[in-house]
Every structure is written in C-alpha cells, then in structure tokens.
Amino acid sequence: MDRLTNTIRPYAWGSTTAIPTLLGVAPTGEPQAEMWMGAHPGAPSRLDRGTGETSLSDLIAADPEGELGAATVARFGPRLPFLFKVLAAGAPLSLQVHPDLAQAREGYEDEERRGVPTDAAHRNYKDPNHKPEMICALSPFDGFCGFRRPEEAADLLDGLGVDSLKPYADLLRAHPEDAALREVLTAVLTADREQMARTVTETAAAAERLGGPYAPYAALVHHFPGDPGVIAALLLNHFRLQPGEALFLGAGVPHAYIDGLGVELLANSDNVLRAGLTPKHVDVPELLRVVRFESGDPAVLRPEGDAEEVYETPIDEFRLSRFLLAPGGASRTLPADTAQILLCTAGAPRVGELELAPGESVFVPAGEKAELSGSGTVFRATVLV
C-alpha cells in the first residue's frame, strides 16, 4: 500500500480554513477548495515505491490489471473509475447538473467533431463519461438539490412579494410538473439581463428582510449580484447535512453546494452543465437537454452496517463506506478484490504499518490485503464489480 501525496485545488469558492484545520496546518490565507485523491489527469495523486515519486495515473497505466484488478478493468476499462475528494465550500459553488452516460458520449463526440478545443471556456464535455456523485458531511453542510414541487416553489416566490416574480409563480401553477419547471427555468435563464438583475436585487432585499426559509437564498446575492441563478435556486430544495449524513446526486439533478466540509466521491469525469451562480460559461439549450424536470425531497443517506458502514447508491463506479475505530477495538481486514483509497478524517488509525493523521490517505492496489487498527475515522472508496 502507498501513502498518497495529494493536490489541493485553490478554486475561488473554497474555504480558507477548513482543509488546513483538517490537516493540522496553518492556513495560507488563500482558498483551499478540494483535495483530490485518485488518478484523474487534472491532478493525480503521487506516491513513491522506492524508485522516486510517480503519479498514480502513470502507475495504473503501466499495469492496469495489477493495480486495479482484472474484474475492474474488464468492467470499467484500464483506469480508476472514481475520484475521491475532500471538499471545503466557503462560498456557493455554481448551480449545475451532470449528464447521463449517453448524453455525455453524444455531447463529447459532437464537440470533438466540431473541433472545440478541450480547454475552451465554452466546452461542455471534457470526456465521454457521466458524473454521478456523493457528498458526505464532515461538518454541517448546506446546499441546494433537486426541484421543489411546483406549487411549493410558487408559494415561496409569492411570499417574497416581488412583482416581477409573479409571472413565474403563475406559470408554476398553470402546467403539469415537467412543463411548469421547464418553462420557468427557461424563462429565468433567458430573461433580459438588466431586468433580471433588478429582479435579483429586489428578491435579495426581500429575502434578507424575511429571513427564515429565505435566508440561504439571501446569501447568494452577496456572491453573485444580478445572477439569474439566484432566482433559479428558489426552484430547488435547500438541504443541510449533519456530520456522517450523505446525499447522492444522479444525472440531471440540479444542485449547488453552499457551505461546509465534506468527503466527495464521484465517477472519474469533469462534465458540468451550469445554470448560474458562476462567471463561467452557461449553455442554456444544452443545460435544458440534460436537466431532469422532476420534483422530490433530497434523499439523505445514512450509513448502514456494523464494522463497515456503507452508503448505498445505485451505481457501481464507486462505493463509499466508513469505519469508526474505537480505542482497543478489534482490527478490521478489508477485502482485496479491488483497488481502494482509504482516507483518515479523525484520530490516528493504522493501515498495515502506516499510521495516518487526519487528511492523510493511502492507495491499496487490488490483491493486497489491508488491516485497519488503532482508533479514529476512516472512509473507504472502492468500486463494485
């Protein structure tokens, strides 16, 4: 097994303190948004097996079956199917959705045919893969996820008392769910920008005055004045996860994280369609093709099991579980059929001969048994084959 050296991404929305606090180091004063663990080409983890430091992506490319296991390679190809992260939001992330596998392949092939550079600001599809993801809270964690029921969203809009929101509320009440949500989101994202900026300003003032259920939306305008994503977010459910709770986000589900520290596990993709709360490219027609206009409450997940607590999801590219190791407790031997990444978030557990501090992680190749001992909290990321 290998202790990993991981890259921290300094995205502007990142907290300046959460990841340094986890790692037990002094903050730099700059945002530290995501710590990546895995073999994504954008920032692969690094390790040293005695011949000098190398990237995990190069190591896997040199011997996919030896590192990942034959079953994983047969199922997902010669690459690690997931990306593991520590995510620290100090400001709202963009309001976004991810495509399903067919949409990702179609969109990627289309942009390849049209010669859109992979690094172009207006490129939607960086790869032909889908991007289901899970966020598991390490601290109280706030965000938006999935559409409210149209009648509930209409009541929320009416409660603000902003005249320019009334047509949206009327539309939400006038049509069946799919059509109502589609029409209102389309109208918000295609509205005249000057008029929308005035609506956002009035909405933010009303939300600030009213507080309560409007408080999470009032905060958005301080980061994104005039952004139509502020109004679009009113169509979504607000959620708050407590430490240990998780949320699974499938294809087409609009969402945005607001604040908090969490462990994120996702398929190894970088495909994002944005709806707002961002200075980045927003492709409204493509976004509307991908969004699933279905309402529903966020389904909060809690881990199930005894020694290994598993967060159940409907996909196979990743599997997240948690070990709560008590002082003096029995050691735990992990299955060795697939590759896995183990992350310590509390205490001083041991993986074999390696002792981990909070924020440290190890890669365990397929076929190598790993024994957990000591005390602390360890998250395990692997795949189902």
Side-chain angles (χ1 to χ4, degrees):
M1 64 193 69
D2 307 281
R3 191 185 300 272
L4 296 177
T5 300
N6 303 305
T7 297
I8 297 176
R9 310 305 295 265
Y11 304 137
W13 49 262
S15 167
T16 59
T17 58
I19 288 179
T21 298
L22 176 68
L23 297 175
V25 300
T28 65
E30 299 298 318
Q32 297 188 33
E34 295 180 349
M35 183 174 74
W36 286 23
M37 296 163 284
H40 191 285
S45 298
R46 301 175 303 284
L47 52 90
D48 189 341
R49 289 186 175 172
T51 58
E53 192 172 71
T54 187
S55 75
L56 182 57
S57 55
D58 288 344
L59 192 73
I60 291 171
D63 184 10
E65 290 196 1
E67 300 296 336
L68 303 178
T72 298
V73 173
R75 180 81 185 276
F76 302 109
R79 65 182 193 131
L80 191 66
F82 62 80
L83 176 61
F84 203 16
K85 299 179 182 179
V86 174
L87 184 148
L93 282 68
S94 62
L95 181 57
Q96 60 189 259
V97 298
H98 307 303
D100 63 27
L101 191 54
Q103 291 165 338
R105 287 172 176 169
E106 182 180 345
Y108 179 79
E109 290 168 1
D110 174 66
E111 290 185 321
E112 287 290 283
R113 280 194 303 269
R114 292 190 286 117
V116 181
T118 305
D119 59 353
H122 63 286
R123 174 115 187 191
N124 294 316
Y125 297 95
K126 305 299 175 65
D127 55 71
N129 199 17
H130 63 166
K131 192 185 178 186
E133 63 185 48
M134 174 187 289
I135 185 74
C136 179
L138 297 178
S139 74
F141 195 98
D142 282 68
F144 304 113
C145 174
F147 286 109
R148 296 176 180 271
R149 293 169 183 83
E151 184 70 26
E152 182 186 343
D155 290 344
L156 193 73
L157 293 176
D158 279 342
L160 287 160
V162 175
D163 289 343
S164 53
L165 293 179
K166 189 176 187 306
Y168 302 139
D170 291 344
L171 280 172
L172 286 167
R173 293 191 173 99
H175 301 287
E177 177 174 291
D178 178 284
L181 295 171
R182 182 182 295 274
E183 284 194 39
V184 173
L185 184 62
T186 303
V188 168
L189 298 182
T190 58
D192 177 83
R193 293 307 292 249
E194 289 187 8
Q195 292 179 356
M196 178 53 66
R198 289 194 291 271
T199 296
V200 170
T201 299
E202 293 175 21
T203 297
E208 189 113 33
R209 183 178 68 254
L210 294 167
Y214 295 103
Y217 303 93
L220 296 178
V221 78
H222 298 299
H223 299 282
F224 304 102
D227 193 309
V230 174
I231 308 303
L234 285 161
L235 303 175
L236 306 185
N237 300 291
H238 172 253
F239 71 85
R240 166 167 277 203
L241 300 176
Q242 296 303 319
E245 294 180 336
L247 201 63
F248 173 76
L249 298 160
V253 177
H255 60 280
Y257 301 147
I258 305 172
D259 182 74
L261 179 70
V263 170
E264 187 179 35
L265 187 56
L266 59 151
N268 200 357
S269 172
D270 200 24
N271 288 326
V272 177
L273 281 302
R274 297 176 180 85
L277 308 182
T278 179
K280 295 182 179 180
H281 175 62
V282 176
D283 185 334
V284 174
E286 187 64 16
L287 172 81
L288 296 174
R289 187 178 79 90
V290 168
V291 171
R292 292 184 179 176
F293 292 97
E294 304 168 356
S295 68
D297 297 327
V300 175
L301 300 173
R302 296 173 180 86
E304 300 178 359
D306 296 323
E308 182 178 17
E309 301 179 327
V310 179
Y311 294 88
E312 297 290 350
T313 65
I315 53 98
D316 296 340
E317 280 94 336
F318 60 75
R319 177 183 183 272
L320 182 67
S321 60
R322 183 181 69 169
F323 292 88
L324 301 178
L325 304 170
S331 62
R332 316 282 170 78
T333 300
L334 303 182
D337 50 342
T338 63
Q340 52 196 306
I341 293 177
L342 305 173
L343 167 70
C344 170
T345 59
R350 300 186 70 84
V351 184
E353 298 301 315
L354 299 178
E355 182 173 304
L356 300 183
E360 292 187 330
S361 58
V362 297
F363 173 73
V364 184
E368 183 173 337
K369 287 186 178 181
E371 186 173 274
L372 293 180
S373 60
S375 63
T377 301
V378 175
F379 284 86
R380 177 179 183 243
T382 186
V383 300
L384 286 173
V385 292

